[in-house]
Amino acid sequence: MIIKANFIDILNKEINFSEIEIFGGKIKSIFRIDEGEKIGENYILPGFVDAHVHVESSLLSPAQFARMAVVHGTVGTLSDPHEIANVLGVKGVEWMLKDAANVPFKFCFGAPSCVPATIFETAGAIINPTDIQLLFEKYPEIGYLAEVMNYPGVLNNDPDMIAKIGIAKKFRKPIDGHAPGLRGELAEKYAMAGPSTDHECFTYGEALDKLKAGMKILIREGSAAKNFDELIPLLSIHYENIMFCSDDKHPDSLLIGHINGLVKRALKLGYNLFDTLQAACINPVKHYNLPIGLLNIGDPADFILIDNQLDFNILATYINGKILAENGQSLMNNIFTEPINNFNCAEKSGDDFRIKNSNSKKIKVIEVVDGQLITKIYLEKNKAENEFIESDQNSDFLKIAVINRYHEAPVAIAFVRNFGIKNGAIASSVAHDSHNIIVVGTSDELMVIAANFIIKEKGGLSAVDALGNSLCLPLPIAGLMSNLDAYEVAKKYTEIDNFSKDVLKSTLKSPFMTLSFLALLVIPSLKLSDKGLFDGNKFEFTSLFDN
């Protein structure tokens, strides 16, 4: 096969009309036809790589994720199977590898370093240093130690964490970082221990500190956490140490775009074409030593065709010389894999969601920040006059609960603001990191209905209103992923997401994605696990009431 197009040579920072010959799935030759750009022809360049993503958060299996991602020019991902590992341990990681092997898309999975993420929640499994050793020995395609979220453990020389890092070093695997808010000497100490990337920077200054410490910065723009606008100025000077990632991408967002969307935004803001593409295409391949071609002679023929440098519309995506997407249509096979799960939870009643009043004058409330993983601590005046404290939708004072899905235990209950829900409830078994059931609503009765939908299906998303209307998207694969076609999942997710906003009046851009992070204890400030309310700043449990 021979392709003639304007070749965007990213590392040499030039564009030349070229003839590229592909044979046996590899680049056989590149012949420059003239020294300048030939106007009116298409452009060829390496494919995009998502430098950090949890495939499970797309609600799709790896094979179905790939079907949708190739349409947007993505040829590979650095995929942390941390979510399914928290549910099923090593068995879950192996399931992801098996499913991904059914498609030519170039997944690079990591060995999850923090399962469970903390000791303050109930997960479905544990991955210890022996398991990390096993994963690297048994599966050479596992390319790195996935995000080291237990940064306090690294800073305090926790034996388990240090052992896992040591094993990764022994196998010469890159180590991914995760250290929100860490700056100065602490950032340097963390980087010196081994983590070489960070995708959790919320400010420009924090990112500069970590770059100074020798880390590479991943600019994240997902369905919930959005740091592009704050961090994109880094690209001008630090393009060699910048990558793009989504971290968590819901199916409706993935339907619209992927890394290509970040490239378009950067170019429209006036950032250099070659710098932008180095972050999107080259840096992840180099840093992680990925088996992804970069349009060099002898490389795997992994590339994309676009129409022009301004619109950057993806015309076709090739992996190993085979066309897998063309003009917005996926050409990949529709692969389905048998579900795997870990779910042991009985249906709940209204009594499970009651909170007794106290003499305290104030109540600690989780204050949601739309578009961010961080939350704030808000002190609400205790207005309750009865024995139990109830939600008050008029003041956006809503009850939130986390239900242990692995064994029977009391329901953990707190309050949240900025959800804006009216006369309804939403629930999900996608609740980072341990993926217990999380539910928020305007009354105990509606919360029970929403939660029991999830329990009956052994995983899913649900939304109910006070008139008896309801929607449920089952997630039979570990309570995290659907076993349906990617485009059907995107449609169903869009329906339930719209229901939560249009019918239940949630004011959030992505209510379900935001909900899923309210149990994520490793991100400050106030979160809720199945064991109770947690102060992420002090890294300890805290009382619901404040005197």
Side-chain angles (χ1 to χ4, degrees), residues 458-513:
K458 296 189 182 300
L461 310 178
S462 68
V464 301
D465 71 9
L467 298 177
N469 299 305
S470 63
L471 288 175
C472 184
L473 171 56
L475 300 174
I477 303 173
L480 300 173
M481 295 168 277
S482 172
N483 59 347
L484 300 176
D485 170 83
Y487 292 92
E488 185 176 353
V489 177
K491 179 181 177 182
K492 288 180 177 293
Y493 177 79
T494 299
E495 289 174 354
I496 197 169
D497 182 62
N498 287 341
F499 184 92
S500 68
K501 289 183 281 193
D502 298 340
V503 178
L504 302 185
K505 306 301 181 183
S506 175
T507 53
L508 298 173
K509 294 172 185 168
S510 184
F512 281 99
M513 183 65 86

Side-chain angles (χ1 to χ4, degrees), residues 51-52 147-149 151 175-183 187 190-191 195-203 206-207 209-211 214-220 227 231 234 241-245 247 287-288 523:
H52 175 76
E147 56 181 315
V148 179
M149 297 189 299
Y151 63 87
I175 300 165
D176 264 9
H178 168 119
L182 213 59
R183 301 196 60 174
Y190 180 71
S196 57
T197 67
D198 190 272
H199 59 274
E200 291 290 349
C201 293
F202 294 101
T203 68
E206 178 187 347
D209 278 6
K210 288 172 179 171
L211 284 165
M215 302 182 81
K216 292 180 169 63
I217 299 301
L218 279 55
I219 296 178
R220 171 178 60 186
N227 310 119
L231 300 181
L234 295 166
N241 294 307
I242 302 297
M243 305 179 217
F244 293 136
C245 78
D247 198 1
H287 181 75
Y288 294 95
I523 302 287

Side-chain angles (χ1 to χ4, degrees), residues 400-463:
I400 183 171
V402 175
I403 304 165
N404 187 317
R405 63 118 111 175
Y406 302 106
H407 59 77
E408 290 303 312
V411 175
I413 306 165
F415 289 91
V416 65
R417 70 193 307 262
N418 288 351
F419 250 91
I421 288 176
K422 304 291 184 184
N423 300 313
I426 64 173
S428 173
S429 58
V430 179
H432 305 281
D433 278 310
S434 293
H435 300 294
N436 289 295
I437 301 165
I438 189 164
V439 54
V440 62
T442 58
S443 73
D444 294 354
E445 294 74 20
L446 292 170
M447 291 174 73
V448 168
I449 296 171
N452 284 342
F453 270 121
I454 306 299
I455 294 168
K456 181 180 178 181
E457 296 290 346
K458 296 189 182 300
L461 310 178
S462 68

Side-chain angles (χ1 to χ4, degrees), residues 332-374:
M332 291 183 66
N333 293 331
N334 206 354
I335 302 294
F336 299 98
T337 309
E338 280 297 312
I340 185 173
N341 211 342
N342 180 10
F343 208 103
N344 182 26
C345 180
E347 292 189 0
K348 302 304 173 187
S349 68
D351 290 342
D352 294 310
F353 292 86
R354 288 182 175 176
I355 299 180
K356 272 201 168 187
N357 199 359
S358 82
N359 295 323
S360 298
K361 296 180 180 179
K362 294 182 179 180
I363 299 170
K364 291 178 188 172
V365 179
I366 302 169
E367 182 173 357
V368 170
V369 180
D370 200 7
Q372 299 292 343
L373 304 190
I374 58 171

